[in-house]
Amino acid sequence: MFPPDSAYRGRFAPSPTGPLHFGSLVAAIGSYLDAKHHHGTWLVRVEDLDTPRCVPGAAEDILRTLELFGLHSDEPVIYQSRRTAAYEEALQQLQSSGAAYPCCCTRKEIADSALHGIEGFVYPGICRNGMAHQRATPAWRVRTDLNPSPVEFIDALQGRISQNLVKEIGDFVVKRADGLFAYQLAVVVDDAFQNITHIVRGADLLASTPRQLYLQQLLALPDPHYMHLPIAVNEAGEKLSKQTLAAPVDASQPVTTLLRVLGFLRQEPPAELAVGDIRTLLDWAILNWQPQRVAGSLMLPTNN
Ligand code: GLU
């Protein structure tokens, strides 16, 4: 066993929108192996803020599945749905420094005048200097032009990443008009709250990282290290997700499933471990963890 004895603090932060599928198990296992290889602490956080998308019972199901793979959070699991006071406080900080402004625009108003960025429309700044019309509950956006130079960081697997938030993303929403806090704000507040030093997750979140680094800067929070693992794609090149009807992971045969995850991440356990128990295989994977074997891959195929 590997009790935590270093400053490394990692986490797995699933959204409970359905059972764990292969892609999310890769993020769980990758973050766990990296934390334990460095004798660190590994935490699970349930990102259940987007209540309309959350499925009742999914969080418990995910936690049960992780246990079957031998993955236990080193500290009590936290739930974002119970932390809105912390997000409200962060929003107030952004409001009082002038970094966040209320926005009354509808999707249609934005679509009518906006250019496309890398993730949908780049908000054209209509409400930047005051709302164009009143709205009882506005959305709150963060100005991206406070530091207009590109946000840059070195990802442990994907190398140097640079993104111009003003041009590629635009002023982004931190609190939605329906009152829900956005993932980008909550994730930054919680990573700091849990003193996370290393974030290992799927490369589908690579494009979100500059927004998170930017918010960390605005809120004077520390920047963690980032490692983005390749995402699992099916034969059609589509990300495995609920939308592509990815099957839930088979937790009844954890050794077989873990071997598939390790194979996907180009780790090569000796053949005899296939007939051993899950703990032995996991301990081998911790000791021999070599994430560099998937360096530079944003996506890899899987037969799952
Ligand atoms: N909850 C996010 C998701 O499931 C992951 C957040 C993260 O790892 O930063 O996509």
Side-chain angles (χ1 to χ4, degrees):
M1 284 299 286
F2 297 81
D5 69 352
S6 81
Y8 183 121
R9 287 173 67 84
R11 54 44 159 203
F12 172 54
S15 301
T17 54
L20 272 191
H21 53 78
F22 187 81
S24 38
L25 186 63
V26 167
I29 301 275
S31 61
Y32 176 85
L33 295 180
D34 204 61
K36 294 300 155 185
H37 184 78
H38 294 97
H39 306 280
T41 300
W42 183 76
L43 307 177
V44 178
R45 176 171 75 230
V46 175
E47 300 209 321
D48 56 351
L49 270 189
D50 193 350
T51 34
R53 288 184 58 231
C54 292
V55 172
E60 295 72 20
D61 182 52
I62 289 171
L63 295 174
R64 240 187 339 262
T65 305
L66 293 173
E67 297 277 327
L68 293 173
F69 284 93
L71 309 188
H72 315 280
S73 181
D74 288 320
E75 292 174 11
V77 173
I78 70 165
Y79 291 77
Q80 290 194 321
S81 54
R82 299 177 197 162
R83 289 195 28 81
T84 47
Y87 312 138
E88 196 60 58
E89 203 179 304
L91 176 63
Q92 276 167 18
Q93 211 177 317
L94 296 170
Q95 289 166 339
S96 53
S97 68
Y101 63 86
C103 171
C104 62
C105 296
T106 61
R107 258 176 236 272
K108 183 168 182 320
E109 282 164 336
I110 297 171
D112 285 348
S113 59
L115 297 173
H116 273 285
I118 55 174
E119 260 180 29
F121 293 112
V122 173
Y123 181 66
I126 303 163
C127 292
R128 249 192 200 168
N129 301 312
M131 286 198 287
H133 50 83
Q134 282 309 309
R135 183 168 184 173
T137 53
W140 285 85
R141 291 182 184 272
V142 159
R143 297 185 73 113
T144 46
D145 61 345
L146 297 170
N147 179 1
S149 47
V151 179
E152 290 201 347
F153 70 103
I154 308 279
D155 184 85
L157 290 179
Q158 310 298 341
R160 179 178 296 278
I161 305 293
S162 174
Q163 193 183 72
N164 184 323
L165 285 180
V166 175
K167 289 199 184 124
E168 297 177 72
I169 299 289
D171 295 356
F172 54 94
V173 171
V174 285
K175 188 177 188 184
R176 299 176 358 188
D178 62 7
L180 295 178
F181 283 97
Y183 156 68
Q184 306 293 353
L185 181 69
V187 77
V188 156
V189 170
D190 286 342
D191 285 333
F193 173 68
Q194 297 192 289
N195 295 313
I196 299 300
T197 59
H198 290 73
I199 293 177
V200 178
R201 60 187 180 188
D204 50 331
L205 293 165
L206 194 57
S208 288
T209 309
R211 264 167 285 178
Q212 295 169 18
L213 290 163
Y214 184 71
L215 284 176
Q216 284 154 5
Q217 205 181 68
L218 294 178
L219 293 165
L221 301 173
D223 296 345
H225 297 277
Y226 287 93
M227 177 190 284
H228 286 87
L229 300 169
I231 55 167
V233 294
N234 63 18
E235 278 160 16
E238 301 161 331
K239 178 186 160 191
L240 300 186
S241 66
K242 209 167 109 185
Q243 287 71 32
T244 57
L245 304 176
V249 290
D250 184 359
S252 68
Q253 312 229 32
V255 169
T256 311
T257 306
L258 178 54
L259 283 170
R260 294 224 299 258
V261 171
L262 294 175
F264 173 81
L265 291 170
R266 306 281 187 260
Q267 312 296 299
E268 291 171 8
E272 65 266 24
L273 291 185
V275 291
D277 61 19
I278 185 76
R279 192 67 245 171
T280 310
L281 180 56
L282 214 41
D283 284 348
W284 178 91
I286 291 169
L287 264 181
N288 296 282
W289 173 235
Q290 290 190 57
Q292 293 307 323
R293 291 187 167 195
V294 288
S297 294
L298 287 172
M299 51 179 78
L300 287 172
T302 167
N303 301 323
N304 292 270

